[in-house]
Amino acid sequence: MLRRRTNGWAKGALAVGVVGLVPLAVGFAVAAFVQTGRRGEKGRGMAVGGLAASVVWIAAAAVVAAMLLSPGGGGSGDGGKGRATVLSRLQTGDCFAGFRKSATDVAVTALPCTRPHDGEVVAQAALPDDDEYPGDKGLAGEATKVCTDRLAFLVKSRYYEDLDVYLDKPDQAAWRAGDRHVTCVMRYGGAGSLAAPLAATLDPAKKTLQEFEAGDCFADWKGADAAARAVPCTEPHKVQVYAAFDLPWEGLATSGVSWAYPGKKIIDENAARGCRRRAAKAFAGHARPAGVRTDFVGPSVKAWYFGVQKVICLLRADKGTLKRSVLGK
């Protein structure tokens, strides 16, 4: 079996992204996406890592600029104490404390992201401009699709397990008045408070489930982890990916809502079936080593909500560690 080459532009995107050369990282990543798709090369994960590192640099620059330009370094002209407002008036990158829902809006206290806070507006987008109100479920589905693509990068945050999504979307009256605006918010539910923008909490060296590729090796990896650091397969490792594929949004739902999580049983049945088919192909022509068992990990409820539909087909060492690829590459 021929080993796929790693795209050179992808390597460059990661390298220049880590050192803060943002324009080059973006350009290299775009070239990598085009070439990997066209040539079937590896490296999309590296390209994404370069973009993620660039996001961290941009966020850090934005924080410094806000501190330098705001009166007294407070970030809002109020000495850094925060100001009362409503969630719908905040912009992408704004942080806040408090979260008090009313019949028409959510009251919050806007704060600089360098001060203790418990929420951040991560993205904003416009829904399709349809004349007819899609209904509560339909609107929730459209808002979820819009936000999940913009929130997926946060699985690399060290606070991922304590982040919850809130979608601030128009109600029926606002829709009829022409409001198509959705605000994608992350709220922190862990101990203490956040003290930096979420983009600054990312680990660009990690690979997300969406970035896992056949042949990737990991020193160890728990299925519940949203991201992990890959290691060369020549180094000791306990886990190797032999296949990865996406489950469809459509066709799995049992609630009549296409974007809704279909349930662990349905996920596992489809994941097991898909991995069995791919195992036959992955090990064609050579035997699977002794002491290695097949396994799979499907998307959790939270991962599915973040737009992750990927199934990872794994080989795990029962005892000890592996020191080479078991795929015959």
Side-chain angles (χ1 to χ4, degrees), residues 30-328:
V30 171
F33 289 141
V34 173
Q35 289 191 359
T36 54
R38 184 180 301 162
R39 300 176 181 177
E41 295 177 330
K42 296 175 63 176
R44 292 181 66 86
M46 287 184 173
V48 172
L51 292 178
S54 299
V55 169
V56 174
W57 281 102
I58 293 171
V63 171
V64 172
M67 294 177 64
L68 293 176
L69 295 176
S70 60
S76 58
D78 55 12
K81 297 179 180 179
R83 57 184 173 84
T85 186
V86 293
L87 191 60
S88 57
R89 294 181 182 175
L90 297 183
Q91 303 296 316
T92 299
D94 287 346
C95 296
F96 61 87
F99 192 88
R100 301 173 298 281
K101 295 184 70 173
S102 68
T104 58
D105 218 324
V106 177
V108 296
T109 300
L111 288 166
C113 292
T114 50
R115 291 182 58 81
H117 59 278
D118 50 31
E120 180 179 336
V121 176
V122 180
Q124 293 173 312
L127 294 169
D129 192 13
D130 297 329
D131 293 332
E132 184 177 352
Y133 182 67
D136 293 341
K137 286 187 176 180
L139 182 58
E142 291 295 338
T144 298
K145 291 177 183 178
V146 165
C147 285
T148 49
D149 286 344
R150 293 161 172 79
L151 300 178
F153 74 98
L154 288 174
V155 299
K156 294 186 179 184
S157 170
R158 61 180 178 272
Y159 297 118
Y160 167 73
E161 295 299 333
D162 294 314
L163 296 177
D164 293 315
V165 181
Y166 177 77
L167 308 181
D168 189 50
K169 56 189 183 297
D171 57 17
Q172 187 170 1
W175 182 276
R176 289 176 175 173
D179 184 3
R180 303 293 188 270
H181 184 77
V182 175
T183 299
C184 312
V185 176
M186 297 304 303
R187 298 176 63 196
Y188 176 64
S193 301
L194 297 173
L198 286 172
T201 70
L202 306 183
D203 182 351
K206 285 186 174 181
K207 300 187 84 171
T208 68
L209 295 183
Q210 291 287 61
E211 298 165 359
F212 283 13
E213 298 178 296
D216 285 344
C217 294
F218 299 90
D220 200 2
W221 178 58
K222 299 177 181 178
D225 294 341
R229 290 173 176 260
V231 299
C233 293
T234 52
E235 295 183 5
H237 58 279
K238 294 182 70 68
V239 179
Q240 183 169 5
V241 178
Y242 71 83
F245 62 96
D246 285 327
L247 293 172
W249 281 103
E250 307 289 344
L252 296 184
T254 58
S255 63
V257 182
S258 62
W259 52 268
Y261 183 71
K264 188 176 187 304
K265 181 179 180 181
I266 293 177
I267 290 287
D268 286 352
E269 288 175 351
N270 284 272
R273 188 181 306 116
C275 285
R276 283 196 298 269
R277 291 200 305 266
R278 289 163 174 80
K281 181 178 180 180
F283 301 110
H286 69 283
R288 194 171 70 219
V292 176
R293 59 184 172 89
T294 58
D295 194 4
F296 67 86
V297 174
S300 64
V301 177
K302 187 168 187 176
W304 188 272
Y305 196 85
F306 270 77
V308 177
Q309 304 125 254
K310 202 157 193 177
V311 172
I312 311 300
C313 306
L314 303 169
L315 297 166
R316 291 186 184 274
D318 287 326
K319 294 181 180 179
T321 59
L322 303 169
K323 295 183 180 179
R324 61 180 180 83
S325 172
V326 297
L327 295 182

